[in-house]
Amino acid sequence: EIADEPQWGLRNIPMPPNETLTPSEYYDILSGCSSAFDSWEIKYTNPNDAKKVQDFIGRFEKDATGMYVSGHPASEIEEAAKKHGAVDIADILDENSIFENNDKVSIYGVITEITRKVTKNGNPMMILKVEDETESITVMMFDRAIQQYASELHEDGLVFIQGKVRGGGEDSSIMLDKVCEMKETPVILWIATPDTSLINIKKLASDFMRENSGLGDYVYVMSLKTRKPELLGEISVTPEVIQKARIKFGNENIKVTEKKKKKFAGIHPAA
């Protein structure tokens, strides 16, 4: 698409078949257009592509330079995570940290690496590398946590983690207890009722939230007669949660919305 734009003069030149480039190959192409990241302009036209392209830019910046040049992805969830008690990873790794072995702690960040291993006893083990704007830390998962959360975790995913500190200072790691995926754009799960009163639906929705706990997204209930919404609290809205909600409350009474996003088209060297 970029090559088809007139300023490149490539419209009538046969192009080789598309193939996947490594971050370093992509870096070589872009650095041939410019010597500085800040001279690349990002334009938004397609909301479905925005997150994918921004994630790719972040990965390529991280692999090529060792840092996120255009902004750390974890900053998108910092406010929401810290509202629920998350601390900076650097505060855990500090040699004078107030966090000691076996202390409960909450962190947030982006998953930069996932490794799967088998312990000496033959049990599965997952090791996550989680990074916020201040530092990165190793997070360990074993049987129960793997069974409960492994399918929800992926590299570049934004997460809120609760667990216990293992070790101390710069050698600290975290034993995962709970984790929920968080999104750059919060999602609202709307639960409607044909009743005028919200008393019954609030009770049912509150029970549903306890059974499907999470953070970062929101649940609203609303009477179809009065059209007055009421915020119940936070939850992590996943496809599984949406399906459960449709079964519990009826497909016609469930709606999911999100804040409007900027649109994304592609990367263009600035004139």
Side-chain angles (χ1 to χ4, degrees):
E1 293 177 359
I2 293 175
D4 195 48
E5 295 183 359
Q7 64 263 39
W8 303 110
L10 299 173
R11 276 186 176 171
N12 299 320
I13 298 178
M15 302 295 290
N18 292 333
E19 59 185 47
T20 301
L21 299 178
T22 65
S24 60
E25 289 172 328
Y26 191 60
Y27 175 80
D28 289 341
I29 292 174
L30 290 181
S31 57
C33 301
S34 170
S35 61
F37 285 100
D38 57 12
S39 68
W40 298 333
E41 178 186 4
I42 298 177
K43 296 181 180 179
Y44 297 85
T45 57
N46 189 337
N48 295 322
D49 292 340
K51 182 66 168 61
K52 293 179 181 178
V53 178
Q54 287 174 319
D55 285 348
F56 179 78
I57 292 174
R59 288 196 302 273
F60 131 74
E61 289 176 345
K62 178 72 172 177
D63 290 342
T65 69
M67 66 183 70
Y68 292 99
V69 178
S70 56
H72 200 289
S75 64
E76 300 289 341
I77 63 171
E78 178 182 9
E79 182 178 353
K82 288 190 172 180
K83 184 175 69 174
H84 291 278
V87 301
D88 290 337
I89 293 175
D91 291 340
I92 301 173
L93 299 177
D94 190 281
E95 62 178 63
N96 298 315
S97 176
I98 62 172
F99 299 101
E100 299 178 346
N101 185 54
N102 216 38
D103 281 352
K104 292 183 178 180
V105 69
S106 298
I107 64 168
Y108 70 97
V110 58
I111 299 175
T112 59
E113 185 179 335
I114 298 177
T115 305
R116 291 172 171 81
K117 294 185 176 182
V118 176
T119 67
K120 293 180 179 179
N121 296 327
N123 298 317
M125 176 182 181
M126 282 181 64
I127 302 173
L128 313 179
K129 201 74 171 179
V130 178
E131 178 180 316
D132 66 11
E133 302 97 317
T134 67
E135 259 293 358
S136 63
I137 196 168
T138 297
V139 178
M140 296 177 291
M141 298 174 60
F142 294 95
D143 290 345
R144 180 194 61 79
I146 292 174
Q147 293 177 15
Q148 188 169 355
Y149 301 115
S151 62
E152 303 173 16
L153 304 177
H154 56 88
E155 291 187 8
D156 301 319
L158 296 171
V159 290
F160 178 89
I161 290 173
Q162 294 177 324
K164 290 183 178 181
V165 176
R166 289 290 182 263
E170 63 181 12
D171 296 323
S172 296
S173 59
I174 293 176
M175 183 79 73
L176 186 143
D177 181 33
K178 296 180 180 178
V179 58
C180 69
E181 183 180 12
M182 299 186 74
K183 308 176 185 69
E184 294 181 15
T185 303
V187 168
I188 299 174
L189 177 65
W190 297 88
I191 304 176
T193 177
D195 300 335
T196 302
S197 172
L198 294 178
I199 294 176
N200 187 48
I201 193 65
K202 284 171 64 176
K203 182 181 184 305
L204 293 174
S206 295
D207 291 342
F208 179 79
M209 292 171 65
R210 279 191 291 272
E211 295 167 0
N212 300 276
S213 61
L215 300 173
D217 301 318
Y218 301 91
V219 174
Y220 277 82
V221 293
M222 183 180 70
S223 167
L224 293 175
K225 293 180 179 178
T226 65
R227 294 287 175 178
K228 292 183 179 179
E230 184 172 329
L231 172 64
L232 281 192
E234 290 191 42
I235 193 174
S236 180
V237 177
T238 64
E240 181 182 6
V241 167
I242 295 172
Q243 181 62 23
K244 288 181 179 179
R246 295 189 190 283
I247 293 173
K248 185 176 182 68
F249 301 102
N251 185 61
E252 69 281 4
N253 294 320
I254 294 298
K255 185 176 181 181
V256 179
T257 62
E258 62 179 22
K259 294 180 180 179
K260 292 182 179 180
K261 297 180 179 179
K262 291 182 178 180
K263 298 179 178 181
F264 193 90
I267 307 170
H268 308 273

